[in-house]
Amino acid sequence: MRTGFAGAGFAIALIFGSLFAATPARAVSSEVIAEHLNYCLKAVAAKSPRGVPVPLGIDANDEKALATGGRVNHLIMGRDSRDDWTCVLGDKSQRLFPTLVEEFLRNVETVDKSRSRYNGNLYMTATICVGAEAVAMILNGPETRELGLATAVFTTGITSKGCQ
């Protein structure tokens, strides 16, 4: 009888272990983060979750996009209360994620960038040009506290003379 309980306990531990392993409770690879940063930027500029190639693990329709496949910790795209498009990408790595976002910003056309520290976290804003479209990006804004993740938020609704 004792070995039966031990065997059942081991089986339950394996089942729950595999369930939790499917949940992205770890930092995501830099390549996956870069792919999703590019998706957020281009989808927000296109004002359409399906207007650009959708990464694996993202369910998208005409109104929103949502991470469902376990490749990133958090991604949601939709319209905000002002009817502007926003895309929020979040990752558990509070140290690596800002470095990846800074690298991403070096590879896109930015009109302006600012950086500061708030409560020990790097806080950054940038205006990015995608053709004539201006997209604002905020690293570690209010969503960081709400979600408990490092976040990059992209949004439309801005204009910039630097984007032609």
Side-chain angles (χ1 to χ4, degrees):
M1 188 71 162
R2 244 174 137 166
T3 57
F5 284 125
F10 182 70
I12 290 171
L14 281 176
I15 291 169
F16 280 112
S18 65
L19 288 175
F20 290 118
T23 304
R26 70 206 159 359
V28 178
S29 77
S30 57
E31 294 82 17
V32 170
I33 293 294
E35 176 185 19
H36 288 78
L37 287 167
N38 276 305
Y39 169 74
C40 277
L41 173 64
K42 292 175 181 174
V44 164
K47 298 179 177 84
S48 170
R50 294 191 312 179
V52 298
V54 179
L56 184 66
I58 302 297
D59 285 342
N61 60 34
D62 292 335
E63 296 300 315
K64 64 182 178 181
L66 183 65
T68 58
R71 291 186 71 212
V72 293
N73 291 297
H74 180 84
L75 185 142
I76 188 164
M77 180 181 175
R79 293 180 186 265
D80 65 12
S81 61
R82 298 172 306 180
D83 209 31
D84 294 327
W85 285 98
T86 63
C87 186
V88 179
L89 176 63
D91 187 61
K92 291 192 181 289
S93 175
Q94 297 282 339
R95 292 183 185 209
L96 181 60
F97 190 74
T99 303
L100 296 174
V101 172
E102 284 190 288
E103 178 65 29
F104 167 76
L105 289 174
R106 282 193 278 280
N107 294 306
V108 295
E109 183 184 346
T110 56
V111 177
D112 58 59
K113 275 192 279 194
S114 68
R115 29 176 311 146
S116 61
R117 292 235 172 245
Y118 181 74
N119 287 337
N121 291 323
L122 176 63
Y123 175 81
M124 186 184 312
T125 62
T127 303
I128 305 166
C129 296
V130 181
E133 280 297 318
V135 175
M137 194 258 348
I138 301 170
L139 173 70
N140 290 334
E143 291 81 5
T144 294
R145 286 187 305 282
E146 291 172 20
L147 296 171
L149 301 170
T151 59
V153 179
F154 296 83
T155 187
T156 57
I158 64 166
T159 57
S160 175
K161 292 181 182 182
C163 297
Q164 301 301 335

